[in-house]
mmCIF file of all heavy atoms in Angstrom:
data_model
loop_
_atom_site.group_PDB
_atom_site.id
_atom_site.type_symbol
_atom_site.label_atom_id
_atom_site.label_comp_id
_atom_site.label_asym_id
_atom_site.label_seq_id
_atom_site.Cartn_x
_atom_site.Cartn_y
_atom_site.Cartn_z
ATOM 1 N N ALA A 314 7.764 26.252 177.067
ATOM 2 C CA ALA A 314 8.372 26.101 175.771
ATOM 3 C C ALA A 314 8.171 24.783 175.213
ATOM 4 O O ALA A 314 7.758 24.429 174.016
ATOM 5 C CB ALA A 314 9.777 26.497 175.845
ATOM 6 N N ILE A 315 8.340 23.661 175.921
ATOM 7 C CA ILE A 315 8.282 22.337 175.411
ATOM 8 C C ILE A 315 6.776 21.821 175.294
ATOM 9 O O ILE A 315 6.534 20.814 174.602
ATOM 10 C CB ILE A 315 9.127 21.310 176.321
ATOM 11 C CG1 ILE A 315 9.365 20.007 175.564
ATOM 12 C CG2 ILE A 315 8.207 21.073 177.593
ATOM 13 C CD1 ILE A 315 10.180 20.178 174.366
ATOM 14 N N THR A 316 5.872 22.666 175.808
ATOM 15 C CA THR A 316 4.450 22.261 175.768
ATOM 16 C C THR A 316 3.921 22.164 174.374
ATOM 17 O O THR A 316 3.230 21.227 174.088
ATOM 18 C CB THR A 316 3.659 23.215 176.543
ATOM 19 O OG1 THR A 316 3.978 23.123 178.009
ATOM 20 C CG2 THR A 316 2.124 23.098 176.507
ATOM 21 N N ALA A 317 4.301 22.969 173.449
ATOM 22 C CA ALA A 317 3.758 23.011 172.147
ATOM 23 C C ALA A 317 4.387 21.885 171.330
ATOM 24 O O ALA A 317 3.721 21.133 170.456
ATOM 25 C CB ALA A 317 4.060 24.357 171.397
ATOM 26 N N SER A 318 5.599 21.574 171.616
ATOM 27 C CA SER A 318 6.478 20.621 170.773
ATOM 28 C C SER A 318 6.774 19.327 171.369
ATOM 29 O O SER A 318 7.361 18.460 170.759
ATOM 30 C CB SER A 318 7.759 21.280 170.470
ATOM 31 O OG SER A 318 8.454 21.658 171.715
ATOM 32 N N CYS A 319 6.164 19.063 172.574
ATOM 33 C CA CYS A 319 6.638 17.681 173.261
ATOM 34 C C CYS A 319 6.298 16.492 172.554
ATOM 35 O O CYS A 319 7.022 15.443 172.725
ATOM 36 C CB CYS A 319 5.894 17.624 174.707
ATOM 37 S SG CYS A 319 4.124 18.007 174.558
ATOM 38 N N ALA A 320 5.220 16.581 171.621
ATOM 39 C CA ALA A 320 5.026 15.374 170.752
ATOM 40 C C ALA A 320 5.528 15.439 169.398
ATOM 41 O O ALA A 320 5.384 14.436 168.691
ATOM 42 C CB ALA A 320 3.432 15.282 170.689
ATOM 43 N N PHE A 321 6.299 16.493 169.069
ATOM 44 C CA PHE A 321 6.780 16.710 167.764
ATOM 45 C C PHE A 321 8.291 16.638 167.530
ATOM 46 O O PHE A 321 8.761 16.685 166.356
ATOM 47 C CB PHE A 321 6.153 18.031 167.179
ATOM 48 C CG PHE A 321 4.760 18.207 166.984
ATOM 49 C CD1 PHE A 321 3.953 18.677 167.974
ATOM 50 C CD2 PHE A 321 4.067 17.631 165.861
ATOM 51 C CE1 PHE A 321 2.632 18.759 167.881
ATOM 52 C CE2 PHE A 321 2.702 17.763 165.626
ATOM 53 C CZ PHE A 321 1.925 18.278 166.706
ATOM 54 N N VAL A 322 8.974 16.674 168.578
ATOM 55 C CA VAL A 322 10.447 16.727 168.443
ATOM 56 C C VAL A 322 11.238 15.627 169.048
ATOM 57 O O VAL A 322 10.674 14.948 169.942
ATOM 58 C CB VAL A 322 11.005 18.183 169.119
ATOM 59 C CG1 VAL A 322 10.303 19.321 168.454
ATOM 60 C CG2 VAL A 322 10.702 18.084 170.599
ATOM 61 N N GLU A 323 12.491 15.426 168.660
ATOM 62 C CA GLU A 323 13.254 14.432 169.139
ATOM 63 C C GLU A 323 13.923 14.985 170.519
ATOM 64 O O GLU A 323 13.937 16.077 170.790
ATOM 65 C CB GLU A 323 14.398 14.104 168.189
ATOM 66 C CG GLU A 323 13.803 13.506 166.942
ATOM 67 C CD GLU A 323 14.903 13.136 165.980
ATOM 68 O OE1 GLU A 323 16.013 13.706 166.128
ATOM 69 O OE2 GLU A 323 14.689 12.492 164.953
ATOM 70 N N PRO A 324 14.440 13.987 171.302
ATOM 71 C CA PRO A 324 14.970 14.336 172.608
ATOM 72 C C PRO A 324 16.016 15.460 172.579
ATOM 73 O O PRO A 324 16.024 16.359 173.394
ATOM 74 C CB PRO A 324 15.646 13.096 173.139
ATOM 75 C CG PRO A 324 14.731 11.993 172.522
ATOM 76 C CD PRO A 324 14.441 12.477 171.127
ATOM 77 N N TRP A 325 17.001 15.495 171.666
ATOM 78 C CA TRP A 325 17.989 16.542 171.616
ATOM 79 C C TRP A 325 17.348 17.969 171.449
ATOM 80 O O TRP A 325 17.828 18.887 172.004
ATOM 81 C CB TRP A 325 19.035 16.178 170.584
ATOM 82 C CG TRP A 325 18.517 16.317 169.202
ATOM 83 C CD1 TRP A 325 17.998 15.342 168.305
ATOM 84 C CD2 TRP A 325 18.463 17.496 168.447
ATOM 85 N NE1 TRP A 325 17.600 15.843 167.198
ATOM 86 C CE2 TRP A 325 18.016 17.116 167.090
ATOM 87 C CE3 TRP A 325 18.815 18.898 168.623
ATOM 88 C CZ2 TRP A 325 17.641 18.065 166.092
ATOM 89 C CZ3 TRP A 325 18.724 19.718 167.489
ATOM 90 C CH2 TRP A 325 18.121 19.412 166.283
ATOM 91 N N ALA A 326 16.323 17.876 170.480
ATOM 92 C CA ALA A 326 15.624 19.144 170.352
ATOM 93 C C ALA A 326 15.000 19.682 171.541
ATOM 94 O O ALA A 326 14.904 20.872 171.874
ATOM 95 C CB ALA A 326 14.625 19.000 169.157
ATOM 96 N N ALA A 327 14.377 18.686 172.417
ATOM 97 C CA ALA A 327 13.621 19.129 173.570
ATOM 98 C C ALA A 327 14.729 19.859 174.490
ATOM 99 O O ALA A 327 14.371 20.879 175.213
ATOM 100 C CB ALA A 327 13.074 17.938 174.283
ATOM 101 N N VAL A 328 15.828 19.309 174.583
ATOM 102 C CA VAL A 328 16.960 19.899 175.390
ATOM 103 C C VAL A 328 17.226 21.293 174.894
ATOM 104 O O VAL A 328 17.309 22.376 175.684
ATOM 105 C CB VAL A 328 18.199 19.069 175.492
ATOM 106 C CG1 VAL A 328 19.322 19.788 176.275
ATOM 107 C CG2 VAL A 328 17.887 17.728 176.104
ATOM 108 N N VAL A 329 17.436 21.451 173.568
ATOM 109 C CA VAL A 329 17.728 22.820 173.030
ATOM 110 C C VAL A 329 16.681 23.791 173.272
ATOM 111 O O VAL A 329 16.902 24.930 173.641
ATOM 112 C CB VAL A 329 17.937 22.677 171.506
ATOM 113 C CG1 VAL A 329 18.177 24.072 170.766
ATOM 114 C CG2 VAL A 329 19.293 21.851 171.193
ATOM 115 N N ILE A 330 15.453 23.401 173.056
ATOM 116 C CA ILE A 330 14.204 24.228 173.332
ATOM 117 C C ILE A 330 14.353 24.775 174.810
ATOM 118 O O ILE A 330 14.008 25.899 175.134
ATOM 119 C CB ILE A 330 12.909 23.497 172.982
ATOM 120 C CG1 ILE A 330 12.813 23.287 171.503
ATOM 121 C CG2 ILE A 330 11.690 24.247 173.497
ATOM 122 C CD1 ILE A 330 11.655 22.369 171.079
#
Side-chain angles (χ1 to χ4, degrees):
I315 197 61
T316 293
S318 56
C319 52
F321 294 96
V322 301
E323 295 180 345
W325 69 267
V328 173
V329 173
I330 291 169

